[in-house]
PDB file of all heavy atoms in Angstrom:
ATOM      1  N   PRO A   1     231.186 -19.869-292.848  1.00  0.00           N
ATOM      2  CA  PRO A   1     230.788 -20.177-291.465  1.00  0.00           C
ATOM      3  C   PRO A   1     229.364 -20.716-291.338  1.00  0.00           C
ATOM      4  O   PRO A   1     229.128 -21.689-290.616  1.00  0.00           O
ATOM      5  CB  PRO A   1     230.939 -18.830-290.753  1.00  0.00           C
ATOM      6  CG  PRO A   1     231.943 -18.081-291.553  1.00  0.00           C
ATOM      7  CD  PRO A   1     231.709 -18.502-292.973  1.00  0.00           C
ATOM      8  N   VAL A   2     228.433 -20.094-292.036  1.00  0.00           N
ATOM      9  CA  VAL A   2     227.039 -20.517-291.927  1.00  0.00           C
ATOM     10  C   VAL A   2     226.846 -21.900-292.540  1.00  0.00           C
ATOM     11  O   VAL A   2     226.137 -22.753-291.984  1.00  0.00           O
ATOM     12  CB  VAL A   2     226.103 -19.487-292.597  1.00  0.00           C
ATOM     13  CG1 VAL A   2     224.675 -20.030-292.670  1.00  0.00           C
ATOM     14  CG2 VAL A   2     226.121 -18.176-291.824  1.00  0.00           C
ATOM     15  N   ALA A   3     227.476 -22.150-293.682  1.00  0.00           N
ATOM     16  CA  ALA A   3     227.341 -23.454-294.338  1.00  0.00           C
ATOM     17  C   ALA A   3     227.914 -24.562-293.462  1.00  0.00           C
ATOM     18  O   ALA A   3     227.312 -25.644-293.332  1.00  0.00           O
ATOM     19  CB  ALA A   3     228.038 -23.430-295.695  1.00  0.00           C
ATOM     20  N   LEU A   4     229.067 -24.321-292.853  1.00  0.00           N
ATOM     21  CA  LEU A   4     229.668 -25.326-291.966  1.00  0.00           C
ATOM     22  C   LEU A   4     228.799 -25.566-290.737  1.00  0.00           C
ATOM     23  O   LEU A   4     228.654 -26.702-290.276  1.00  0.00           O
ATOM     24  CB  LEU A   4     231.066 -24.869-291.540  1.00  0.00           C
ATOM     25  CG  LEU A   4     232.141 -24.882-292.636  1.00  0.00           C
ATOM     26  CD1 LEU A   4     233.405 -24.203-292.133  1.00  0.00           C
ATOM     27  CD2 LEU A   4     232.427 -26.297-293.100  1.00  0.00           C
ATOM     28  N   ARG A   5     228.218 -24.503-290.210  1.00  0.00           N
ATOM     29  CA  ARG A   5     227.313 -24.650-289.059  1.00  0.00           C
ATOM     30  C   ARG A   5     226.089 -25.463-289.441  1.00  0.00           C
ATOM     31  O   ARG A   5     225.660 -26.367-288.705  1.00  0.00           O
ATOM     32  CB  ARG A   5     226.879 -23.275-288.550  1.00  0.00           C
ATOM     33  CG  ARG A   5     225.943 -23.318-287.335  1.00  0.00           C
ATOM     34  CD  ARG A   5     225.110 -22.067-287.248  1.00  0.00           C
ATOM     35  NE  ARG A   5     224.223 -21.917-288.396  1.00  0.00           N
ATOM     36  CZ  ARG A   5     223.582 -20.791-288.714  1.00  0.00           C
ATOM     37  NH1 ARG A   5     223.773 -19.709-287.985  1.00  0.00           N
ATOM     38  NH2 ARG A   5     222.764 -20.750-289.767  1.00  0.00           N
ATOM     39  N   ASP A   6     225.508 -25.154-290.580  1.00  0.00           N
ATOM     40  CA  ASP A   6     224.286 -25.834-290.991  1.00  0.00           C
ATOM     41  C   ASP A   6     224.533 -27.320-291.210  1.00  0.00           C
ATOM     42  O   ASP A   6     223.707 -28.164-290.830  1.00  0.00           O
ATOM     43  CB  ASP A   6     223.723 -25.199-292.264  1.00  0.00           C
ATOM     44  CG  ASP A   6     223.218 -23.782-292.038  1.00  0.00           C
ATOM     45  OD1 ASP A   6     223.158 -23.363-290.864  1.00  0.00           O
ATOM     46  OD2 ASP A   6     222.878 -23.106-293.030  1.00  0.00           O
ATOM     47  N   ARG A   7     225.652 -27.660-291.829  1.00  0.00           N
ATOM     48  CA  ARG A   7     225.974 -29.070-292.043  1.00  0.00           C
ATOM     49  C   ARG A   7     226.149 -29.780-290.699  1.00  0.00           C
ATOM     50  O   ARG A   7     225.646 -30.891-290.497  1.00  0.00           O
ATOM     51  CB  ARG A   7     227.256 -29.197-292.878  1.00  0.00           C
ATOM     52  CG  ARG A   7     227.779 -30.634-293.057  1.00  0.00           C
ATOM     53  CD  ARG A   7     226.787 -31.506-293.828  1.00  0.00           C
ATOM     54  NE  ARG A   7     227.218 -32.872-293.912  1.00  0.00           N
ATOM     55  CZ  ARG A   7     227.748 -33.420-295.011  1.00  0.00           C
ATOM     56  NH1 ARG A   7     227.932 -32.689-296.107  1.00  0.00           N
ATOM     57  NH2 ARG A   7     228.079 -34.698-295.029  1.00  0.00           N
ATOM     58  N   ALA A   8     226.843 -29.153-289.762  1.00  0.00           N
ATOM     59  CA  ALA A   8     227.041 -29.749-288.440  1.00  0.00           C
ATOM     60  C   ALA A   8     225.712 -29.941-287.724  1.00  0.00           C
ATOM     61  O   ALA A   8     225.468 -30.981-287.089  1.00  0.00           O
ATOM     62  CB  ALA A   8     227.970 -28.871-287.603  1.00  0.00           C
ATOM     63  N   LEU A   9     224.833 -28.950-287.826  1.00  0.00           N
ATOM     64  CA  LEU A   9     223.524 -29.038-287.179  1.00  0.00           C
ATOM     65  C   LEU A   9     222.719 -30.210-287.719  1.00  0.00           C
ATOM     66  O   LEU A   9     222.158 -31.012-286.951  1.00  0.00           O
ATOM     67  CB  LEU A   9     222.754 -27.733-287.382  1.00  0.00           C
ATOM     68  CG  LEU A   9     221.295 -27.722-286.912  1.00  0.00           C
ATOM     69  CD1 LEU A   9     221.215 -27.891-285.396  1.00  0.00           C
ATOM     70  CD2 LEU A   9     220.602 -26.429-287.342  1.00  0.00           C
ATOM     71  N   LEU A  10     222.649 -30.349-289.033  1.00  0.00           N
ATOM     72  CA  LEU A  10     221.864 -31.429-289.640  1.00  0.00           C
ATOM     73  C   LEU A  10     222.464 -32.794-289.305  1.00  0.00           C
ATOM     74  O   LEU A  10     221.734 -33.757-289.044  1.00  0.00           O
ATOM     75  CB  LEU A  10     221.789 -31.241-291.152  1.00  0.00           C
ATOM     76  CG  LEU A  10     221.065 -29.981-291.631  1.00  0.00           C
ATOM     77  CD1 LEU A  10     221.005 -29.943-293.155  1.00  0.00           C
ATOM     78  CD2 LEU A  10     219.660 -29.891-291.045  1.00  0.00           C
ATOM     79  N   GLU A  11     223.791 -32.876-289.311  1.00  0.00           N
ATOM     80  CA  GLU A  11     224.438 -34.140-288.959  1.00  0.00           C
ATOM     81  C   GLU A  11     224.110 -34.536-287.516  1.00  0.00           C
ATOM     82  O   GLU A  11     223.833 -35.704-287.229  1.00  0.00           O
ATOM     83  CB  GLU A  11     225.953 -34.019-289.138  1.00  0.00           C
ATOM     84  CG  GLU A  11     226.427 -33.992-290.581  1.00  0.00           C
ATOM     85  CD  GLU A  11     226.531 -35.385-291.209  1.00  0.00           C
ATOM     86  OE1 GLU A  11     226.070 -36.356-290.573  1.00  0.00           O
ATOM     87  OE2 GLU A  11     227.052 -35.471-292.333  1.00  0.00           O
ATOM     88  N   VAL A  12     224.118 -33.575-286.611  1.00  0.00           N
ATOM     89  CA  VAL A  12     223.808 -33.860-285.208  1.00  0.00           C
ATOM     90  C   VAL A  12     222.353 -34.291-285.052  1.00  0.00           C
ATOM     91  O   VAL A  12     222.043 -35.238-284.319  1.00  0.00           O
ATOM     92  CB  VAL A  12     224.115 -32.631-284.321  1.00  0.00           C
ATOM     93  CG1 VAL A  12     223.493 -32.786-282.929  1.00  0.00           C
ATOM     94  CG2 VAL A  12     225.613 -32.434-284.205  1.00  0.00           C
ATOM     95  N   LEU A  13     221.450 -33.622-285.733  1.00  0.00           N
ATOM     96  CA  LEU A  13     220.035 -33.974-285.650  1.00  0.00           C
ATOM     97  C   LEU A  13     219.795 -35.418-286.084  1.00  0.00           C
ATOM     98  O   LEU A  13     219.074 -36.172-285.422  1.00  0.00           O
ATOM     99  CB  LEU A  13     219.203 -33.023-286.509  1.00  0.00           C
ATOM    100  CG  LEU A  13     218.995 -31.603-285.971  1.00  0.00           C
ATOM    101  CD1 LEU A  13     218.378 -30.706-287.038  1.00  0.00           C
ATOM    102  CD2 LEU A  13     218.128 -31.615-284.720  1.00  0.00           C
ATOM    103  N   TYR A  14     220.407 -35.807-287.194  1.00  0.00           N
ATOM    104  CA  TYR A  14     220.193 -37.160-287.697  1.00  0.00           C
ATOM    105  C   TYR A  14     220.969 -38.204-286.897  1.00  0.00           C
ATOM    106  O   TYR A  14     220.491 -39.317-286.678  1.00  0.00           O
ATOM    107  CB  TYR A  14     220.598 -37.243-289.170  1.00  0.00           C
ATOM    108  CG  TYR A  14     220.403 -38.618-289.772  1.00  0.00           C
ATOM    109  CD1 TYR A  14     219.165 -39.260-289.736  1.00  0.00           C
ATOM    110  CD2 TYR A  14     221.472 -39.285-290.377  1.00  0.00           C
ATOM    111  CE1 TYR A  14     218.993 -40.518-290.283  1.00  0.00           C
ATOM    112  CE2 TYR A  14     221.305 -40.543-290.935  1.00  0.00           C
ATOM    113  CZ  TYR A  14     220.062 -41.162-290.886  1.00  0.00           C
ATOM    114  OH  TYR A  14     219.902 -42.411-291.432  1.00  0.00           O
ATOM    115  N   SER A  15     222.156 -37.848-286.433  1.00  0.00           N
ATOM    116  CA  SER A  15     222.986 -38.800-285.712  1.00  0.00           C
ATOM    117  C   SER A  15     222.462 -39.113-284.319  1.00  0.00           C
ATOM    118  O   SER A  15     222.666 -40.219-283.812  1.00  0.00           O
ATOM    119  CB  SER A  15     224.422 -38.265-285.609  1.00  0.00           C
ATOM    120  OG  SER A  15     225.256 -39.176-284.945  1.00  0.00           O
ATOM    121  N   THR A  16     221.793 -38.156-283.689  1.00  0.00           N
ATOM    122  CA  THR A  16     221.366 -38.319-282.293  1.00  0.00           C
ATOM    123  C   THR A  16     219.860 -38.452-282.103  1.00  0.00           C
ATOM    124  O   THR A  16     219.414 -38.846-281.030  1.00  0.00           O
ATOM    125  CB  THR A  16     221.846 -37.128-281.445  1.00  0.00           C
ATOM    126  OG1 THR A  16     221.179 -35.933-281.897  1.00  0.00           O
ATOM    127  CG2 THR A  16     223.348 -36.936-281.565  1.00  0.00           C
ATOM    128  N   GLY A  17     219.082 -38.099-283.115  1.00  0.00           N
ATOM    129  CA  GLY A  17     217.627 -38.114-282.943  1.00  0.00           C
ATOM    130  C   GLY A  17     217.141 -36.996-282.043  1.00  0.00           C
ATOM    131  O   GLY A  17     216.025 -37.054-281.513  1.00  0.00           O
ATOM    132  N   ALA A  18     217.945 -35.964-281.873  1.00  0.00           N
ATOM    133  CA  ALA A  18     217.574 -34.854-280.990  1.00  0.00           C
ATOM    134  C   ALA A  18     216.406 -34.061-281.568  1.00  0.00           C
ATOM    135  O   ALA A  18     216.261 -33.945-282.795  1.00  0.00           O
ATOM    136  CB  ALA A  18     218.769 -33.923-280.794  1.00  0.00           C
ATOM    137  N   ARG A  19     215.570 -33.557-280.689  1.00  0.00           N
ATOM    138  CA  ARG A  19     214.594 -32.562-281.107  1.00  0.00           C
ATOM    139  C   ARG A  19     215.361 -31.298-281.497  1.00  0.00           C
ATOM    140  O   ARG A  19     216.472 -31.057-280.997  1.00  0.00           O
ATOM    141  CB  ARG A  19     213.630 -32.242-279.961  1.00  0.00           C
ATOM    142  CG  ARG A  19     212.854 -33.445-279.425  1.00  0.00           C
ATOM    143  CD  ARG A  19     212.044 -33.055-278.190  1.00  0.00           C
ATOM    144  NE  ARG A  19     211.261 -34.168-277.676  1.00  0.00           N
ATOM    145  CZ  ARG A  19     211.690 -35.022-276.740  1.00  0.00           C
ATOM    146  NH1 ARG A  19     212.903 -34.863-276.226  1.00  0.00           N
ATOM    147  NH2 ARG A  19     210.924 -36.001-276.318  1.00  0.00           N
ATOM    148  N   ILE A  20     214.762 -30.487-282.356  1.00  0.00           N
ATOM    149  CA  ILE A  20     215.443 -29.256-282.747  1.00  0.00           C
ATOM    150  C   ILE A  20     215.724 -28.387-281.522  1.00  0.00           C
ATOM    151  O   ILE A  20     216.806 -27.791-281.399  1.00  0.00           O
ATOM    152  CB  ILE A  20     214.618 -28.486-283.798  1.00  0.00           C
ATOM    153  CG1 ILE A  20     214.874 -29.077-285.185  1.00  0.00           C
ATOM    154  CG2 ILE A  20     214.940 -27.001-283.798  1.00  0.00           C
ATOM    155  CD1 ILE A  20     214.275 -28.309-286.337  1.00  0.00           C
ATOM    156  N   SER A  21     214.777 -28.343-280.587  1.00  0.00           N
ATOM    157  CA  SER A  21     214.989 -27.541-279.379  1.00  0.00           C
ATOM    158  C   SER A  21     216.171 -28.062-278.568  1.00  0.00           C
ATOM    159  O   SER A  21     216.898 -27.292-277.938  1.00  0.00           O
ATOM    160  CB  SER A  21     213.725 -27.540-278.519  1.00  0.00           C
ATOM    161  OG  SER A  21     213.367 -28.864-278.146  1.00  0.00           O
ATOM    162  N   GLU A  22     216.370 -29.384-278.570  1.00  0.00           N
ATOM    163  CA  GLU A  22     217.496 -29.965-277.842  1.00  0.00           C
ATOM    164  C   GLU A  22     218.818 -29.659-278.538  1.00  0.00           C
ATOM    165  O   GLU A  22     219.826 -29.410-277.885  1.00  0.00           O
ATOM    166  CB  GLU A  22     217.306 -31.475-277.720  1.00  0.00           C
ATOM    167  CG  GLU A  22     216.117 -31.866-276.849  1.00  0.00           C
ATOM    168  CD  GLU A  22     215.803 -33.343-276.888  1.00  0.00           C
ATOM    169  OE1 GLU A  22     216.258 -34.022-277.844  1.00  0.00           O
ATOM    170  OE2 GLU A  22     215.101 -33.826-275.987  1.00  0.00           O
ATOM    171  N   ALA A  23     218.810 -29.683-279.874  1.00  0.00           N
ATOM    172  CA  ALA A  23     220.036 -29.416-280.627  1.00  0.00           C
ATOM    173  C   ALA A  23     220.494 -27.970-280.436  1.00  0.00           C
ATOM    174  O   ALA A  23     221.672 -27.712-280.173  1.00  0.00           O
ATOM    175  CB  ALA A  23     219.827 -29.716-282.107  1.00  0.00           C
ATOM    176  N   VAL A  24     219.559 -27.020-280.561  1.00  0.00           N
ATOM    177  CA  VAL A  24     219.963 -25.617-280.398  1.00  0.00           C
ATOM    178  C   VAL A  24     220.243 -25.290-278.933  1.00  0.00           C
ATOM    179  O   VAL A  24     220.878 -24.285-278.621  1.00  0.00           O
ATOM    180  CB  VAL A  24     218.894 -24.652-280.966  1.00  0.00           C
ATOM    181  CG1 VAL A  24     218.703 -24.873-282.458  1.00  0.00           C
ATOM    182  CG2 VAL A  24     217.564 -24.785-280.223  1.00  0.00           C
ATOM    183  N   GLY A  25     219.774 -26.147-278.023  1.00  0.00           N
ATOM    184  CA  GLY A  25     220.046 -25.939-276.600  1.00  0.00           C
ATOM    185  C   GLY A  25     221.398 -26.469-276.163  1.00  0.00           C
ATOM    186  O   GLY A  25     221.781 -26.289-274.998  1.00  0.00           O
ATOM    187  N   LEU A  26     222.128 -27.111-277.063  1.00  0.00           N
ATOM    188  CA  LEU A  26     223.435 -27.657-276.720  1.00  0.00           C
ATOM    189  C   LEU A  26     224.449 -26.549-276.447  1.00  0.00           C
ATOM    190  O   LEU A  26     224.493 -25.545-277.162  1.00  0.00           O
ATOM    191  CB  LEU A  26     223.957 -28.535-277.856  1.00  0.00           C
ATOM    192  CG  LEU A  26     223.298 -29.911-278.051  1.00  0.00           C
ATOM    193  CD1 LEU A  26     223.816 -30.554-279.325  1.00  0.00           C
ATOM    194  CD2 LEU A  26     223.567 -30.799-276.840  1.00  0.00           C
ATOM    195  N   ASP A  27     225.263 -26.780-275.440  1.00  0.00           N
ATOM    196  CA  ASP A  27     226.435 -25.941-275.206  1.00  0.00           C
ATOM    197  C   ASP A  27     227.661 -26.689-275.722  1.00  0.00           C
ATOM    198  O   ASP A  27     227.624 -27.921-275.901  1.00  0.00           O
ATOM    199  CB  ASP A  27     226.598 -25.634-273.722  1.00  0.00           C
ATOM    200  CG  ASP A  27     225.536 -24.671-273.209  1.00  0.00           C
ATOM    201  OD1 ASP A  27     224.929 -23.968-274.041  1.00  0.00           O
ATOM    202  OD2 ASP A  27     225.308 -24.644-271.985  1.00  0.00           O
TER     203      ASP A  27
END
């Protein structure tokens, strides 16, 4: 679970240019 979450998080950060605060703020 943690590995899949981490991969998704990094992919979203690079794909969208989101700030880390914006990424963790996603619902």
Side-chain angles (χ1 to χ4, degrees):
V2 171
L4 290 171
R5 181 204 63 194
D6 293 351
R7 174 63 184 256
L9 173 65
L10 296 183
E11 287 278 9
V12 166
L13 286 169
Y14 180 56
S15 181
T16 65
R19 301 174 178 92
I20 278 188
S21 59
E22 294 172 341
V24 298
L26 287 173
D27 289 340

